[in-house]
Amino acid sequence: GAGVSQSPSNKVTEKGKDVELRCDPISGHTALYWYRQSLGQGLEFLIYFQGNSAPDKSGLPSDRFSAERTGGSVSTLTIQRTQQEDSAVYLCASSSPGARLYTGELFFGEGSRLTVL
Amino acid sequence: TQLLEQSPQFLSIQEGENLTVYCNSSSVFSSLQWYRQEPGEGPVLLVTVVTGGEVKKLKRLTFQFGDARKDSSLHITAAQPGDTGLYLCAGAGDMRFGAGTRLTVKP
């Protein structure tokens, strides 16, 4: 597709279960970002991937959170032993820093809404 | 990390009113972006301001970048219900956003 695709769009899980959220960035975009947005709040930065560089994990709130980006494209955000406070919308964005006309624009998906019961 | 503070946090106005929201930092930015997020969707870029003192207009929206490139404002003229959303600012190419201003325009 033309835009950033995220799945699932909605996920309901029980406390203590592991969840995986997927992000398909725009084709050719080398940078990929994950954000968390709690109800009524702004965007909390989680992790950033750029090409083959080591990811910037400085925003991950705990060691229960991890993310991978395979083949420089698709990314998976994993939350282990989910807690109720993990309930939020998880947004993925991509950009193309290497593009000749790079403007710094981030292109966002519609997010994955996670509810932990 | 360059921190961005946005104000007000919440704003509820009637259709037809004018409003201004602000994005401030103690750091200098090479450029700054404004995004709007509508309910159930991801943020979408509205504008990038690059030059200190720059003013950009997008229909009823006017964006200004401070002379020192540390702050920016967004002015909306004759607000409409379709302007409702979360307005976010970020340093262009940066990873972190301000907390946003949540605007509600009542018909």
Side-chain angles (χ1 to χ4, degrees):
Chain A
V4 177
S5 178
Q6 292 189 244
S7 61
S9 55
N10 281 285
K11 175 72 175 179
V12 180
T13 190
E14 294 179 347
K15 177 181 174 181
K17 300 284 189 181
D18 298 351
V19 297
E20 287 188 350
L21 307 176
R22 176 187 169 103
C23 173
D24 271 291
I26 292 173
S27 178
H29 279 193
T30 58
L32 187 147
Y33 311 74
W34 283 99
Y35 293 88
R36 178 169 69 177
Q37 187 172 35
S38 300
L39 185 63
Q41 302 298 310
L43 302 183
E44 176 188 4
F45 166 75
L46 297 178
I47 189 168
Y48 163 65
F49 297 89
Q50 168 52 39
N52 295 321
S53 302
D56 179 345
K57 303 179 182 180
S58 60
L60 294 178
S62 77
D63 59 7
R64 296 187 296 104
F65 288 73
S66 63
E68 291 185 342
R69 189 178 186 192
T70 55
S73 181
V74 172
S75 177
T76 301
L77 176 69
T78 301
I79 308 173
Q80 296 178 312
R81 305 181 303 282
T82 52
Q83 304 293 314
Q84 288 183 333
E85 59 263 29
D86 299 334
S87 296
V89 175
Y90 290 82
L91 289 161
C92 175
S94 70
S95 69
S96 56
R100 186 170 64 86
L101 298 178
Y102 175 60
T103 63
E105 180 176 2
L106 270 59
F107 295 85
F108 284 85
E110 294 188 343
S112 292
R113 181 177 297 277
L114 175 65
T115 302
V116 182
L117 301 177
Chain B
T1 301
Q2 296 174 310
L3 297 178
L4 289 160
E5 295 185 356
Q6 292 191 244
S7 61
Q9 185 177 0
F10 298 97
L11 187 57
S12 180
I13 61 171
Q14 293 295 133
E15 181 176 3
E17 293 183 2
N18 302 330
L19 66 112
T20 303
V21 299
Y22 301 91
C23 174
N24 296 296
S25 175
S26 58
S27 303
V28 174
F29 288 89
S30 58
S31 58
L32 197 143
Q33 296 178 325
W34 285 91
Y35 289 77
R36 179 170 67 202
Q37 183 181 25
E38 298 184 14
E41 299 183 4
V44 175
L45 180 68
L46 294 173
V47 77
T48 302
V49 286
V50 178
T51 307
E54 179 179 8
V55 176
K56 280 191 173 179
K57 293 192 175 183
L58 185 66
K59 297 183 180 179
R60 294 177 293 101
L61 278 60
T62 301
F63 303 85
Q64 185 163 6
F65 200 14
D67 291 340
R69 305 204 315 277
K70 292 183 177 182
D71 55 84
S72 181
S73 63
L74 159 58
H75 181 79
I76 301 179
T77 302
Q80 299 178 0
D83 296 326
T84 292
L86 179 65
Y87 289 80
L88 297 157
C89 65
D94 197 358
M95 297 172 284
R96 290 167 174 81
F97 287 74
T101 292
R102 190 166 297 277
L103 172 65
T104 302
V105 182
K106 300 176 183 177

